[in-house]
Amino acid sequence: MKPSRFNYYAVDSIDAAISLIAQQGEDARFLAGGQSLVPMMNFRVAAPTALIDLNGVPELSNVRIDNDGALHIGAMARTRQLETDPEIAEANPLIAVAAAYVAHTQIRNRGTIGGSLAHADPAAELPGIALVCDAEIHLRGLSGARVIEAAKFFDGVFTTALADGELIEKLYFPPWPEQRCWAFQEISRREGDFALVGIAAWFDMDASGAISDCRLAAIGAGDTPLLLDSPAQTLTGSVPSDALFEKAAETVAGDIAPFDDIHASADYRREVAAVLVARTLKTAWERRR
Amino acid sequence: MTRTYIGKPVTRLEDRRLLTGAGNYIDDVKLPGISTMAILRSPYAHARIQSIDLESARAMEGVIDAFCAADLDAQLPVIPLRLAPFDGFERFLQRPIAVDKVRYVGEPVAVVIAEDRYVAEDALELIEVEFDQLPTISTIEQAAAGNTLIHEAAGENMGTRYTVARGNARAAFDDAAYTRRERFVTNRHGAVPMETRGLIAEFDPEAPLLRLHGATKVNFFNRRHLAAAFDLPETSVELIETDVGGGFGARGELYPEDYLVPIASRRTGGPVKWIEDRRENLTATNHSRDIVCELEIAATAEGEILGMRATVQGDMGAYIRTNGGVVPSKAAQFLPGPYRVPSFSCDVQFLVTNKTPVGTFRGPGRFEANFCRERMLDMMADDLGIDPAELRQRNLLTPRDLPYRIGELVPGDPDATLDRGNYPAALEHLLNECGYADWDPGAETGDGRVRGMGIACFIESSAAGPPESARITVFSNGGVEIRTGASSVGQGTETGLAQICAEFLDIDMNRIDVLHGSTTLVGIGGGTFHSRNTVMAGNATRTAAEALKDRATELAALRWNCDARDLAYDDGAVHQDSDRLTLQELAAFAETRGEMLSADALFDNEKKMSYSYGAHAAQIAIDIATGVVEVERYWLTEEIGRALNPAMVQGQAIGGVIQGLGGTFLDHFVYDEDGQLLTGSLADYLLPTTSELPDITAIALENSPSEFNPMGFKGAGEGGIVAVAGAVGNAVAQALKPYSVSINELPLTPDRLRKLLRGAGA
Ligand SMILES: Cc1cc2nc3c(=O)[nH]c(=O)nc-3n(C[C@H](O)[C@H](O)[C@H](O)COP(=O)(O)OP(=O)(O)OC[C@H]3O[C@@H](n4cnc5c(N)ncnc54)[C@H](O)[C@@H]3O)c2cc1C
């Protein structure tokens, strides 16, 4: 379990990173927390010829909250910071709660939000959160900068819309209304393991007491994190109740495409996704202020 | 002054060293000029090797040598059978490196020796092997059908098969008011110690000398076989122990690498190191536990057991290694357990498949047997409307029944007898402790989960021969040294032996150094397995200490020119009226006479085994909708005769329970139909972690000292693990009683439980 030979470069700016990776060719990789990439290298599942280390690029770790409450999180922000930083929790409580489900403290100390999104494990928490929050992903490449919605970023298992040599610079999370009801729940084999299946949800209420807007996303339920449109449609315009949540849960099967693996069958993931939809919505509703 | 150490929870002597990073594990051993070995392992479960091309690997910079079977001219040795060497197994033995054919994923195919592990792994990628894939035997059913033969010359995939019996099972079943038949499956899993295996060989054919660092467990057996394999006198083979990060029965057996590393050293003429990485560990180190058991029980309407009948089929993997048929044979032997089972018969089958070979793992066969039997008893209790604890009390052997001949349930083993004890009292103690009488399974707890409590009883044999050695020496600097043939695998052997020595010599324990295991330290040694160190090495230490006191007294008599019978020993010194000579002074005196103050002992229990026994209880909560089980509380009682160090006993019990919970819920070597291991990393092979721990209450009972050793010890290393699946399985079954699902197969994963519940309409 030793990686094959590679060159290592430390850079201190985004510009240096993207020009160096272009020079190094398609077998070069950015190194963030290394918590996914390095194990893959040790197994020789990945054999990059060069690593461009982003850990010395200060601008990638910036976290900023706008006056309107919008949240900007630099790609190199550590999962542990997302979990523990009170300002982030204030700006978007769903991020903090979900981050605590990622692996273990030691791994969260190193792993980054950018790395998690770029790695695109379909059972990873942070991609699901980016999706459910309508986050925008800011990318930089030799050909310039672009912004892509989370909903368009994930292409498949471990594949994304990132072009060769393109870098995630930061994530933008739109403002979070104070009255929003939200929750995240997942089932995993052990604490800290990737989710067998997990659900993130939020909804806003209108003056009449009906749900005016909502999003639900599932992780571990398909090749990518998935937005759950059917339950969202069931919820929108209705008054929250356990019965409504159960009804919404029943519609989830059509929105997901889970797979079998050694830890759980597709059948398990399908039925537990529905269970978690109902439970997540209930928890969200109980949290209303 | 009398110092008391035995029975005290003294802090382990090893801890400071190990916890401050001063341990000396095999990878810490550095030798000048050392090179590193890496092994190309078979990617296929079953294939013929057409050709192996090592040229590019050999040519790579930094590579010192590369070899495969074809480069080894002499006939390769086979890995010997150490235990349960049943007739027929000789057809299924493994050679250290694949010859012509590979039979499991992970079998060694070629070896590279290089200046470091990075280069070695690069070179492995350059080796070209042409394989012709063969049909794979990935289940015992396929093995039994025998359409493909794994070892052609054997003519079958059945390693061996036998029947053992006592009483008259047929008659018992014919006459019984109640019978039931169930099929149980225990999951293939294994020791997976924190520290993987590793070896360093220094082979000097001229001297001749083969020194192997990283040895443990059964060094003298291993030395004998390595000496034979390399055509050396036994005295030319040195097996050296290092610290060990977990053995659990799997480490220290002879494996292919125990031959390949010496071969590599002989070929290169320098020391060679091999450290098993985790990926190798999961396919190269013995697996265990993989049995299917068809169990039938016969009883009266009042729940009195009349007989048991069983077929135990063990999936042995591709070769029979050193542990022979231990796992299935012990599963069969322990099926009747601590109960009065007048008639018993068991058909035991050892099936060879294209998987990693099987060997012992903490509580081999017992964990499996207890799961099957204890689940069966709960089903019977249910059928007959008898409380599970009451059913057990009706059937447990009582003090009046013991000693109880269980008969010859393992071919070649002596007729076995359960020694004295009080099984019902150990269960009673547990029931009081866990509040069994007040437990209400139907109670609503408000969190939407359903709860269950399950119990399971066990017996556990320990400390079968061979004898164990100890030598105590006192030096003129005041230091005291114990040398023993037993190994330490991290369980606290140094501390335990020092406690005994300190108490009998009446000296401060901190003066004592314990050196263990290495063949260079002692002349003979039995080794470490079967929970035997405290029993065997402990009693040897005591005998040596007594002999040393006698020798010290003789020396004092010489010194004082008096009669030894007028002298007394106390407080680490020999006394005559107000005069005293300390052990240190006597050691100095002995040295002036050209001798050492030293005494040897060998403890032999003549293979008379004591059985630890006790009971486990688990309280679980299950979320019906997700199948997620939480073990909320766990209790066990374990009669061990006498606790040398209660803190270490507690640690063994708790560690055993945790490891058992792993085997019940998580640990699982999963293979696909092509014989590929799907759980090839610790991301997929799941071990229990601190996040999953319940509150565990472990109670060591000291009410029934062993009659077979003067100190009364019984083994205490395995009672914590052996009944976990039984107790937890029963707890889950109780919680799920309204759904009538059968908890017959491990591990209990959320997926498996949901599948059962879904089938029951939940
Ligand atoms: C034992 C263990 C358990 C884990 N459990 C979980 C879990 O439960 N949930 C979970 O979500 N994750 C889990 N992880 C993964 C962990 O969260 C990783 O840290 C994360 O997925 C990747 O982040 P990283 O910063 O370590 O990225 P790295 O490993 O450094 O990189 C991953 C990939 O992303 C690319 N990359 C990194 N940064 C950028 C960037 N800014 N722009 C473009 N590409 C980039 C890299 O080139 C590489 O291809 C676990 C990891 C371990 C070791």
Side-chain angles (χ1 to χ4, degrees), chain A residues 29-37 54 75 101-103 107 111-112 115-116 118-119 124-125 162 166-168 192-194:
Chain A
R29 289 280 174 284
F30 293 121
L31 174 67
Q35 299 301 299
S36 296
L37 181 56
L54 303 176
Y101 283 89
V102 177
I107 294 159
T112 65
S116 180
H119 184 60
E125 287 80 5
L162 276 172
E166 209 169 18
L167 174 111
I168 302 177
D193 283 337
F194 277 101

Side-chain angles (χ1 to χ4, degrees), chain A residues 1 190 265 268 271 279, chain B residues 121 277 623 626 687 754:
Chain A
M1 291 172 71
R190 297 171 304 182
S265 60
Y268 179 87
E271 67 179 8
R279 287 184 183 178
Chain B
E121 289 194 21
D277 70 23
D623 179 350
T626 62
L687 292 166
R754 270 311 305 165

Side-chain angles (χ1 to χ4, degrees), chain B residues 369-381:
Chain B
N370 293 338
F371 173 67
C372 305
R373 180 194 62 248
E374 294 296 316
R375 280 296 302 122
M376 184 62 120
L377 289 181
D378 265 31
M379 294 180 199
M380 174 166 134

Side-chain angles (χ1 to χ4, degrees), chain B residues 242-294:
Chain B
T242 52
D243 281 321
V244 162
F248 309 117
R251 182 195 300 273
E253 296 291 341
L254 286 173
Y255 283 91
E257 298 83 6
D258 292 70
Y259 299 83
L260 295 177
V261 185
I263 291 171
S265 173
R266 187 175 60 188
R267 286 173 65 91
T268 59
V272 174
K273 177 186 274 191
W274 168 74
I275 301 293
E276 182 182 58
D277 70 23
R278 185 60 69 188
R279 178 156 51 169
E280 292 184 281
N281 172 257
L282 296 171
T283 59
T285 291
N286 289 339
H287 292 177
S288 198
R289 300 271 198 259
D290 195 354
I291 68 154
V292 174
C293 174
E294 286 275 351

Side-chain angles (χ1 to χ4, degrees), chain B residues 45-48 101-102 132-137 148-149 152 354:
Chain B
H46 198 194
R48 205 164 291 289
K101 225 178 125 168
V102 287
D132 255 1
Q133 283 196 71
L134 297 165
T136 303
I137 302 283
T148 296
L149 292 179
E152 287 86 348
N354 290 119

Side-chain angles (χ1 to χ4, degrees), chain B residues 333-339 341 370 373 397 406 418 423 458-459:
Chain B
Q333 185 191 13
F334 279 85
L335 267 177
Y339 302 100
V341 181
N370 293 338
R373 180 194 62 248
L397 292 161
I406 59 172
L418 304 180
Y423 301 171
F458 72 94
I459 48 172

